[in-house]
Amino acid sequence: MKAENRHHFGVPILEVQLPEVRARSEEIRQFLEKLRDEDTDGIQRSNQRGWHSGDFLHHSKEPVMQWLTEQIFQVGSRLALHAERKPPETEIFLSSLWANINDFGAWNAPHAHLPCEWSGCLYIDVDENPTEENAGICPGDIMFFDPIPVGAPYRPAPTVSYTPKIGTMYVFPGYLLHMVAPHYNERPRISMAFNFRFGENLTHIAR
């Protein structure tokens, strides 16, 4: 597995491609759209006119979702542990996993994933060649914000944006503020989002 460390604002933003996800994207998309049909309201978080599933898809009994959960855990946890320079035996949990389906015009407002230590997203079905809108930001881009706003005037840029491909995974610290630009394509933009927690921190909280 080869991962790119984008390292913006002094913060690691890790990117990796999962070709197995691309190979099964249609199967995953069909399952998630069926899930939305059964729960049209979903839940409200950062989603603006988009659909947000419940947070516990990692407990799904659906075979394709169990497979996807395993992919996300194996790759995402390795990236998080590597970024933290923690030993591979460190206790780490996939604490939540959910789907986002953005129809035409839907977007996600700026948000972070605290108190989770690491978070990420994996793209199931996206417009891989969107038309650029302005300032280098394309419809459906994921955007990250400089976590030190007081220093923004002296830094290269206060935000950075990426245009994902099908099978792209990003992993980043849970405190990093991010958003999704409005999506302007008739085909829904579908992604998975997830959070990781370290066992040592959960043990400390329990005390």
Side-chain angles (χ1 to χ4, degrees):
M1 180 183 68
K2 181 180 179 181
E4 298 287 342
N5 187 345
R6 301 303 185 186
H7 216 84
H8 289 281
F9 327 118
V11 178
I13 302 173
L14 304 164
E15 177 184 338
V16 65
Q17 301 296 322
L18 303 183
E20 298 87 354
V21 171
R22 177 182 286 275
R24 300 190 69 173
S25 63
E26 180 64 20
E27 182 184 2
I28 300 167
R29 182 186 67 81
Q30 289 180 4
F31 168 73
L32 294 177
E33 289 189 332
K34 180 175 181 291
L35 197 63
R36 179 172 67 164
D37 290 342
E38 295 169 353
D39 178 21
T40 55
D41 292 335
I43 61 176
Q44 183 61 47
R45 294 287 172 75
S46 69
N47 45 311
Q48 307 296 310
R49 295 191 291 172
W51 181 78
H52 184 307
S53 78
D55 292 337
F56 302 104
L57 288 183
H58 53 310
H59 296 317
S60 172
K61 301 301 182 185
E62 182 69 23
V64 71
M65 193 52 53
Q66 292 181 330
W67 173 84
L68 187 62
T69 296
E70 184 64 17
Q71 298 295 310
I72 289 170
F73 177 75
Q74 291 297 333
V75 176
S77 63
R78 285 173 60 191
L79 293 177
L81 292 174
H82 176 75
E84 291 270 359
R85 294 183 172 83
K86 289 182 177 292
E89 65 271 16
T90 300
E91 195 172 34
I92 185 170
F93 299 96
L94 181 63
S95 60
S96 52
L97 173 66
W98 66 95
N100 293 292
I101 300 181
N102 284 6
D103 291 317
F104 187 96
W107 59 291
N108 290 74
H111 64 285
H113 291 196
L114 289 172
C116 299
E117 289 84 6
W118 284 83
S119 301
C121 46
L122 172 62
Y123 296 90
I124 306 303
D125 198 344
V126 293
D127 182 1
E128 298 186 306
N129 297 290
T131 302
E132 185 174 306
E133 288 288 288
N134 56 61
I137 299 172
C138 295
D141 274 6
I142 183 169
M143 301 172 61
F144 297 97
F145 294 78
D146 189 337
I148 312 176
V150 70
Y154 308 101
R155 299 164 85 86
T159 64
V160 64
S161 65
Y162 294 126
T163 303
K165 303 290 187 181
I166 296 172
T168 299
M169 175 189 280
Y170 297 111
V171 176
F172 48 88
Y175 64 77
L176 188 59
L177 193 69
H178 56 286
M179 67 169 285
V180 176
H183 163 75
Y184 298 119
N185 191 292
E186 294 299 334
R187 187 175 176 88
R189 177 189 189 276
I190 301 177
S191 64
M192 306 295 300
F194 50 88
N195 290 318
F196 286 105
R197 299 300 314 268
F198 289 130
E200 60 195 41
N201 294 342
L202 296 176
T203 302
H204 177 72
I205 292 171
R207 291 175 183 169

